[in-house]
Amino acid sequence: PLPDWALWVFFLRGSLALALGVAALASDVSLSRLGTYIAVYWIVAALLTLRWASGRDPAAGRRIAMAAGAIGLGAGVLVLLRQPISSVIGEVRLLDLLGASAIATGSLRLFGRFHDDQLEGMRPRLRYRAAVGVLELALGISLILADETSDSSIRVALGIWGLLTGTFLLLDALWMRRVLRAHARHASP
């Protein structure tokens, strides 16, 4: 059975991702604020992946899942510390690093090794992981191709990613709600 808290984690993450997508596409919020928002989101997702991977058998892809969690955590921390880091390595090189981490995350998601989107013991749904993985690849490419003055491609890729990811997480929350209700009906005498 699913833990009771799972529904709320998925609902909250889905709502946050949707809000990010709307903010990126429909508002004039600065990319700096959106960057902080996505950094926190990536850190939470990476911690969920690391938690999932720590309970896995090494033969079941634990090392790859741990690498995915570490990449996500590193990318989130890079985004949070972007101002002091960019003064040392430059804005363009920082965008390249973030783009490379988004490409790595998208690739690992496409191969089913990034498990922030499903609960313990569940295989990520192929259509969800394929769509989000491709969007993460597009986001990474737009970050690598961007310079300091071109934020529209980043904003569009980030907005579409947020809308789709949020929708999938909310669909999973609705599915979990049905499973939890069915389990409660069967468990009660």
Side-chain angles (χ1 to χ4, degrees), residues 13 31 53-55 60 67-68 80 86 106 110 153 166:
R13 288 187 62 222
L31 274 182
S54 67
L80 281 179
S86 68
L110 285 172
S153 62

Side-chain angles (χ1 to χ4, degrees), residues 33-160:
R33 285 184 189 230
L34 289 174
T36 301
Y37 189 93
I38 199 167
V40 172
Y41 186 89
W42 279 351
I43 288 170
V44 169
L47 292 174
L48 289 171
T49 297
L50 290 169
R51 181 180 177 274
W52 178 87
S54 67
R56 299 270 55 114
D57 179 15
R62 179 181 184 179
R63 285 185 215 120
I64 294 173
M66 293 293 279
I71 289 168
L73 186 60
V77 170
L78 274 176
V79 172
L80 281 179
L81 300 175
R82 67 190 169 278
Q83 291 189 342
I85 292 173
S86 68
S87 66
V88 173
I89 67 171
E91 186 77 25
V92 173
R93 194 169 301 246
L94 179 62
L95 288 173
D96 290 346
L97 282 171
L98 294 174
S101 67
I103 289 171
T105 300
S107 299
L108 289 168
R109 188 180 306 280
L110 285 172
F111 292 110
R113 297 297 183 199
F114 199 89
H115 288 271
D116 68 320
D117 55 349
Q118 298 293 323
L119 292 174
E120 180 73 26
M122 295 175 63
R123 298 284 304 157
R125 295 181 203 165
L126 180 59
R127 66 177 186 258
Y128 291 6
R129 83 169 188 243
V132 174
V134 167
L135 286 171
E136 286 170 341
L137 290 173
L139 179 60
I141 291 167
S142 68
L143 286 167
I144 289 172
L145 295 177
D147 58 20
E148 297 94 354
T149 60
S150 63
D151 69 343
S152 62
S153 62
I154 295 170
R155 187 177 289 276
V156 169
L158 189 57
I160 293 170

